[in-house]
């Protein structure tokens, strides 16, 4: 078990716990080094830092940026970023600006399928309305009896070809990497096993093209171990990390109790051939088993 968890969400994006409660839960579960990586928003980091100081957890300032690459949506995690950086803040603000209009269109699409009240319903779950997104709609769809849980919402709603889906243009890959690096952070391609092409997983050729372009643009890390990956995927993505000379990261992608693949902290070690992303951070200790 690693005591690093470098990917999770609070109520500042689509998580269920406040930054304070999230850090407390991470500490209880043995996490020593935690990155809070809310979608497109840095608003939880100050609160998380306060909580981390009380629990002897080292907080890594993070973010998960929504990116459009070709016809795909991909997520770039920024680790060890500077939350005061103006260009990063402005970039994230530009992404948030698009979310409100998208939510309106999502609600209209659901209404055409006979599901009313979705906009108000989704906003009730968005503690931070600027980050309104599919998870908040999913929670409303569960509440209103259209699906048994959040995960199954994404089989019948909010995905391509289903009610509530709205195509959206997120940030450009080059910009997201630039904002992260410009603020002193490391850009990590999140959960490579989760990307899709239509209803199918993204093919290997496309993923390799994405990795090549990501590395070329200054991307430095790959999330080899993710709560949503299987053990064979850890091995596969470790090979990609080596091939593309990327550092490796690990994170649960925890969103809330009962709503995630994995709880905070419960992650297997990175495969041995991996160069951990934290090796480059002078202020972060390297654990014994990695030394
Ligand atoms: P958005 O940024 O508004 O498109 O929302 C994306 C979020 O929806 C992701 O960060 C996940 O939290 C959630 N999500 C997407 N697909 C799934 C899925 N298959 N199961 C559970 N949650 C999902
Ligand atoms: Mn999410
Ligand atoms: Mn993601
Ligand atoms: Mn995430």
């Amino acid at each position: 078990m690693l005591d690093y968890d470098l990917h999770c969400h609070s109520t500042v994006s689509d998580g269920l716990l406040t930054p304070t409660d999230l850090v407390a839960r991470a500490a209880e579960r043995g996490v020593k080094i935690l990155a809070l990586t809310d979608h497109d928003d840095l608003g939880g980091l100050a609160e998380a830092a306060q909580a981390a100081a009380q629990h002897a957890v080292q907080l890594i300032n993070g973010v998960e940026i929504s990116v459009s690459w070709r016809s795909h949506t991909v997520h770039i995690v920024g680790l060890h970023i500077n939350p005061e950086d103006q260009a990063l803040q402005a970039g994230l603000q530009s992404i948030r600006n698009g979310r409100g209009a998208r939510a309106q269109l999502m609600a209209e699409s659901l209404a055409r399928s006979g599901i009313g009240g979705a906009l108000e319903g989704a906003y009730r779950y968005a503690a931070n309305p600027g980050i309104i997104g599919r998870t908040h709609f999913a929670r409303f769809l569960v509440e209103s009896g259209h699906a048994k849980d959040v995960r199954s919402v994404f089989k019948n709603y909010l995905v391509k070809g289903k009610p509530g889906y709205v195509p959206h243009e997120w940030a450009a890959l080059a910009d997201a990497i630039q904002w992260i690096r410009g603020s002193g952070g490391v850009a990590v391609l999140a959960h490579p096993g989760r990307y899709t092409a239509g209803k199918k997983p993204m093919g290997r050729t496309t993923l390799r093209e994405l990795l090549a372009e990501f590395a070329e643009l200054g991307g430095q890390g790959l999330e080899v171990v993710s709560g949503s990956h299987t053990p064979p995927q850890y091995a596969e993505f470790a090979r990609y990390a080596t091939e593309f000379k990327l550092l490796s990261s690990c994170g649960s992608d925890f969103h809330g109790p009962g709503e995630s693949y994995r709880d905070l902290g419960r992650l297997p070690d990175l495969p041995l051939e991996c160069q951990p992303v934290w090796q480059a951070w002078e202020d972060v200790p390297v654990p014994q088993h990695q030394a």
Side-chain angles (χ1 to χ4, degrees):
M1 292 288 187
L2 278 174
D3 37 21
Y4 285 77
D5 190 332
L6 302 180
H7 187 154
C8 65
H9 298 273
S10 77
T11 45
V12 166
S13 63
D14 58 358
L16 289 172
L17 303 181
T18 63
T20 300
D21 291 347
L22 186 77
V23 171
R25 187 182 182 94
E28 252 167 49
R29 300 182 61 86
V31 177
K32 297 286 189 297
I33 294 161
L34 178 75
L36 173 60
T37 55
D38 275 311
H39 298 284
D40 309 322
D41 203 313
L42 307 171
L45 294 173
E47 182 185 323
Q50 280 200 340
Q54 296 192 340
H55 290 280
V57 165
Q58 181 165 0
L59 183 80
I60 304 291
N61 287 318
V63 66
E64 182 176 18
I65 305 185
S66 311
V67 159
S68 292
W69 179 76
R70 300 186 182 168
S71 60
H72 309 274
T73 296
V74 301
H75 286 170
I76 307 299
V77 163
L79 294 177
H80 227 298
I81 47 112
N82 172 10
E84 306 302 325
D85 187 84
Q86 298 290 310
L88 175 63
Q89 286 180 3
L92 298 177
Q93 181 65 53
S94 73
I95 301 179
R96 293 198 296 273
N97 288 344
R99 283 185 172 267
R102 171 183 185 243
Q104 178 82 42
L105 294 173
M106 287 167 68
E108 286 166 14
S109 166
L110 288 168
R112 285 195 294 279
S113 299
I115 301 174
L119 193 64
E120 301 71 26
Y123 271 109
R124 276 204 301 277
Y125 288 98
N128 173 13
I131 283 294
I132 185 79
R134 288 189 292 164
T135 307
H136 309 111
F137 280 86
R139 291 183 187 136
F140 162 75
L141 288 166
V142 172
E143 168 202 296
S144 53
H146 292 90
K148 69 174 187 336
D149 55 29
V150 162
R151 190 121 20 120
S152 48
V153 170
F154 288 88
K155 295 190 176 83
N156 299 313
Y157 302 95
L158 313 180
V159 291
K160 214 167 210 164
K162 303 289 183 184
Y165 176 75
V166 174
H168 191 74
E169 193 65 26
W170 300 104
L173 181 60
D175 289 341
I177 294 170
Q178 176 52 43
W179 298 332
I180 291 167
R181 292 206 58 170
S183 85
V186 177
V188 175
L189 181 70
H191 48 61
R194 292 276 308 275
Y195 300 130
T196 53
K199 286 181 189 136
K200 288 191 259 164
M202 180 185 273
R204 294 211 166 123
T205 308
T206 311
L207 181 57
R208 296 177 92 264
E209 288 167 2
L210 169 59
L211 284 166
E213 195 172 323
F214 173 73
E216 173 72 29
L217 290 167
Q220 295 149 294
L222 182 63
E223 204 170 69
V224 168
V225 170
S226 159
S228 66
H229 288 166
T230 61
Q233 285 178 315
Y234 306 152
E236 181 185 358
F237 297 131
R239 284 195 300 275
Y240 283 127
T242 304
E243 179 183 344
F244 291 92
K245 299 188 171 55
L246 295 168
L247 301 168
S248 297
S249 188
C250 65
S252 59
D253 206 358
F254 178 75
H255 282 70
E259 238 188 56
S260 285
Y261 297 91
R262 289 270 191 163
D263 209 315
L264 287 158
R266 294 213 146 208
L267 291 170
D269 283 355
L270 286 169
L272 276 177
E273 71 260 42
C274 291
Q275 301 287 320
V277 68
W278 51 82
Q279 270 186 355
W281 300 335
E282 281 166 15
D283 57 333
V284 178
V286 177
Q288 287 306 311
H289 62 272
Q290 297 271 345

